[in-house]
Amino acid sequence: MLSLLEGADSMIKVLDLYSGLGGFSEAFALDPDYQVIRIENNPLLAGVPFTIPADIFDLDPLDYLDVDLILASPPCTEFSLAYGAPRGRAYRAGIRGDDYKPNMDLVKEAVRWKNIIRPKFFLMENVNGSQQYFRKLRLYPIMIHGPFVFYGDFPLFDMPSGWSHNKEGPNGQDTWSSDPLRANKKGKLPLELSKQIKITFQGQPTLGDWI
């Protein structure tokens, strides 16, 4: 962790929780004025730049108190109706509505980190199917862009007219089902969205900037 933080005291820090392939924070990672710290527990993704390969429950949010923006994208499989996802399997077994109990631990942990770190902004992303379960934690959508639903404390932004995104992969082709990173590739936020998030973050001062 220290190797990612050394010499970066004056940089704007972005913490990307459950970072996967890094799509959420990609635009920030491409800008030398930002320091991106990604936390991801999948060892197959340890080579993604700026990634700390660790379980979030083994880390202490007090080590990241100087973070300016938290991005969080908890795995969507608990909320997706995709065939192989837990909710999809439960649905086919007749377990629906309030009878289905997704694991919300990662969502709750991201909120806990936000409450401890108190960054300028916090933005969480998930699939459309997350809404009915996130509401139980008093998390309500603030924006929906294509298949991506956003929650948190962040300025609203629009995508260019005509923008769309197909989660089925390049040229509309689904990622091959035997690929161990299939869910990560389908769920990766496109660079266009990450760029718009960065533009909005840069252009939105908070009260703290004037004090």
Side-chain angles (χ1 to χ4, degrees):
M1 181 178 67
L2 292 178
S3 63
L4 292 178
L5 299 176
E6 287 175 353
D9 290 342
S10 63
M11 300 178 72
I12 302 171
K13 295 182 176 64
V14 177
L15 180 61
D16 188 350
L17 303 178
Y18 323 120
S19 55
L21 288 164
F24 211 165
S25 56
E26 187 170 3
F28 296 94
L30 293 172
D31 188 327
D33 291 332
Y34 289 85
Q35 185 209 357
V36 171
I37 307 162
R38 292 168 170 152
I39 296 175
E40 171 57 51
N41 72 343
N42 186 340
L44 296 177
L45 297 169
V48 175
F50 313 117
T51 295
I52 297 172
D55 189 322
I56 190 173
F57 295 104
D58 294 333
L59 301 178
D60 189 344
L62 293 176
D63 291 333
Y64 302 88
L65 292 178
D66 58 349
V67 163
D68 302 286
L69 168 64
I70 294 178
L71 304 172
S73 187
C76 67
T77 51
E78 290 291 322
F79 315 106
S80 171
L81 283 172
Y83 189 83
R87 188 182 173 201
R89 295 195 299 269
Y91 189 89
R92 295 193 300 279
I95 304 171
R96 304 174 184 180
D98 290 338
D99 292 331
Y100 174 67
K101 309 292 185 184
N103 187 327
M104 301 292 288
D105 290 349
L106 293 177
V107 178
K108 292 177 182 177
E109 187 65 5
V111 173
R112 189 178 79 89
W113 277 53
K114 183 263 292 186
N115 291 337
I116 292 173
I117 295 172
R118 300 176 65 85
K120 289 183 179 179
F121 294 112
F122 170 76
L123 189 61
M124 184 183 292
E125 176 273 333
N126 218 279
V127 296
N128 185 62
S130 65
Q131 294 188 50
Q132 68 185 92
Y133 304 104
F134 278 39
R135 287 192 189 102
K136 296 177 181 180
L137 298 181
R138 297 186 178 180
L139 293 169
Y140 303 99
I142 58 173
M143 292 174 286
I144 299 177
H145 292 296
F148 304 99
V149 180
F150 294 95
Y151 305 83
D153 174 20
F154 196 83
L156 302 183
F157 61 86
D158 290 323
M159 293 299 291
S161 177
W163 180 84
S164 64
H165 177 71
N166 185 349
K167 278 196 172 186
E168 296 307 309
N171 304 315
Q173 309 247 339
D174 192 4
T175 309
W176 182 244
S177 59
S178 65
D179 185 345
L181 296 178
R182 177 177 182 270
N184 300 95
K185 292 176 180 179
K186 290 187 67 174
K188 182 181 178 182
L189 266 75
L191 181 58
E192 296 90 343
L193 253 176
S194 183
K195 285 181 177 178
Q196 194 60 45
I197 291 168
K198 176 174 172 286
I199 290 170
T200 305
F201 174 78
Q202 289 177 162
Q204 186 68 40
T206 66
L207 181 61
D209 294 321
W210 304 103
I211 296 176

